[in-house]
Amino acid sequence: MKIITGISNMQSFADSLRSQGRTIGFVPTMGFLHDGHVSLMGRARQSCDIVVASIFVNPTQFGPREDFSRYPRDVEGDRKKCEAAGVDVLFMPAAAEMYPEKPSVFVVVEGLSDVLEGAIRPGHFRGVATVVAKLFSIVKPHKAFFGQKDYQQCAVIKGMVKGLNLDVEIVVMPIVREKDGLAMSSRNSYLNVDERRKAAKSAR
Ligand code: PAF
């Protein structure tokens, strides 16, 4: 598995794959990978020639009082999971290169971004749409894979792709659950035993 950190290196690698007629499947993540992510990688592996996964904890989708600084991270564990899932390229850009200055350009999918979860997390879906648009223009995928767990995120990304006529197919994969029914999520690691039991109960 190739690890790429530089944006222009990733872009030229994607260009060379495309010029050879190879299809690129892309799984964007914020890391701390679980079997939900692995299922996206497996589907990308089946349907594309080259699988690219990214790990980037995107600061612009976290509110000022949210968990950006304590978001769980495990780069070495993630690298092994990507390798085992058949990922060809792991793209891990630095925040300083993704956002060299305070961002002034954003993608907003109006109507979808400020309702439901967006109503209580102002700016969250703007940050998601913006970073996914940036990642698409760096990785240049033919197909990109997202989990249905983040239902509103999938709707926002599909809306962005349609609204901006982006040439990428969005594939949405079913939720992967723990044995007790709780949807897998990197943030489940925040839950104590009691919270975990309650969350699993409400998932049933
Ligand atoms: O679902 C996520 O992990 C993130 O929102 C994404 C799509 C990687 C954008 O940062």
Side-chain angles (χ1 to χ4, degrees):
M1 185 175 73
K2 197 176 168 70
I3 296 190
I4 299 181
T5 54
I7 291 177
S8 60
N9 289 346
M10 184 66 240
Q11 283 172 317
S12 38
F13 192 64
D15 285 339
S16 77
L17 293 169
R18 279 181 162 261
S19 68
Q20 294 159 28
R22 300 167 94 184
T23 54
I24 303 173
F26 179 40
V27 181
T29 82
M30 297 207 299
F32 211 69
L33 303 176
H34 51 68
D35 284 352
H37 297 113
V38 171
S39 80
L40 306 180
M41 292 167 187
R43 177 68 185 274
R45 182 67 288 156
Q46 284 165 5
S47 51
C48 299
D49 297 326
I50 298 290
V51 179
V52 179
S54 64
I55 297 178
F56 179 63
V57 184
N58 171 40
T60 67
Q61 69 188 74
F62 289 80
R65 275 172 294 282
E66 290 187 12
D67 55 343
F68 174 69
S69 57
R70 68 182 187 112
Y71 193 84
R73 290 161 169 88
D74 176 14
V75 174
E76 191 41 32
D78 288 348
R79 194 191 57 71
K80 289 186 184 140
K81 285 179 188 159
C82 288
E83 203 144 33
V87 168
D88 299 294
V89 179
L90 178 56
F91 177 54
M92 294 196 293
E97 202 189 1
M98 286 293 277
Y99 299 112
E101 51 211 33
K102 193 168 182 277
S104 56
V105 177
F106 296 98
V107 177
V108 179
V109 183
E110 287 189 354
L112 285 177
S113 296
D114 43 16
V115 293
L116 303 171
E117 185 181 354
I120 50 168
R121 298 185 72 190
H124 169 66
F125 288 111
R126 180 183 79 160
V128 169
T130 303
V131 79
V132 172
K134 283 166 75 69
L135 289 167
F136 282 177
S137 82
I138 296 167
V139 174
K140 309 183 187 207
H142 295 83
K143 296 185 185 195
F145 299 81
F146 295 87
Q148 194 176 22
K149 170 177 74 68
D150 301 306
Y151 185 81
Q152 190 172 3
Q153 170 169 282
C154 293
V156 166
I157 290 165
K158 282 183 172 178
M160 172 185 83
V161 165
K162 188 171 175 210
L164 297 179
N165 304 99
L166 300 182
D167 190 12
V168 52
E169 181 188 335
I170 302 303
V171 181
V172 176
M173 293 284 292
I175 297 174
V176 178
R177 295 181 182 278
E178 304 285 357
K179 282 198 186 70
D180 59 9
L182 184 62
M184 288 191 182
S185 165
S186 309
R187 285 186 169 105
N188 288 349
S189 62
Y190 295 157
L191 303 175
N192 65 31
V193 175
D194 194 41
E195 290 164 338
R196 178 58 217 264
R197 199 178 307 116
K198 284 186 187 143
K201 208 169 163 195
S202 65
R204 277 183 224 130

